Amino acid sequence: MLISTKGRYALRVMIDLAEHMSDGFIPLKTIAQRQDISEKYLESIIRLLVQAGLLNGQRGKGGGYRLTRPPEAYTTREILQLTEASLAPVVCLERGAAPCFQTAACRTLPLWQGLDQVIREYLDRVTLADLMRKNAPGNDYVI
């Protein structure tokens, strides 16, 4: 599983909006500047988030975007699923994948199913509110 730039940027945008919730609707240009993302690319990401109901958009003066729920009500999984073709570690576990003729004899399938479950459960546990904190899960890796 490789998370795309679009997925990483979607998380950054959502964190930005969560951190500035008290500012009301935030213009696209402001988000783009704060996150150093091109406005054109950001538009495609915002469109996905609005269509899925994760953000509200308002046009005109004083317009922009804001979260539809509190930060703790968003999971990283729901955000990433909008931007990624798949979060599955192998093709045979992707939604709508054709049945594999090797399934009955596949010795590695339980490994991939377990990894898929760990990924889903982990991303379901980490919320947008968690990512707003400096010591968010995943930020504690030490070499």
Side-chain angles (χ1 to χ4, degrees):
M1 175 182 75
L2 183 65
I3 303 298
S4 69
T5 302
K6 189 177 270 192
R8 295 190 317 269
Y9 285 3
L11 288 171
R12 285 175 43 193
V13 165
M14 295 293 286
I15 294 166
D16 186 283
L17 289 169
E19 290 176 338
H20 296 92
M21 282 182 71
S22 62
D23 298 345
F25 286 94
I26 309 294
L28 181 92
K29 184 175 186 170
T30 302
I31 301 165
Q33 288 172 342
R34 283 196 297 238
Q35 294 302 316
D36 195 25
I37 302 171
S38 84
E39 286 184 53
K40 185 143 181 87
Y41 192 51
L42 185 57
E43 284 174 2
S44 67
I45 296 169
I46 294 273
R47 190 176 309 113
L48 286 173
L49 298 169
V50 169
Q51 287 172 347
L54 276 62
L55 298 180
N56 279 332
Q58 180 174 305
R59 295 178 185 249
K61 186 174 176 154
Y65 299 93
R66 69 177 182 191
L67 301 179
T68 58
R69 312 188 298 254
E72 55 276 358
Y74 294 91
T75 68
T76 54
R77 181 176 171 205
E78 80 175 303
I79 297 166
L80 290 174
Q81 281 183 321
L82 292 173
T83 60
E84 305 307 309
S86 174
L87 295 174
V90 291
V91 175
C92 63
L93 294 179
E94 290 179 354
R95 244 180 290 150
C100 177
F101 69 93
Q102 293 282 345
T103 300
C106 183
R107 296 202 178 184
T108 60
L109 183 59
L111 169 74
W112 304 129
Q113 289 171 326
L115 179 58
D116 187 49
Q117 182 176 347
V118 168
I119 291 168
R120 284 184 283 110
E121 288 174 358
Y122 179 73
L123 292 175
D124 279 340
R125 276 195 318 268
V126 180
T127 68
L128 193 54
D130 294 327
L131 296 178
M132 292 170 64
R133 293 190 280 280
K134 295 279 188 228
N135 295 328
N139 289 340
D140 56 357
Y141 185 75
V142 178
I143 295 178

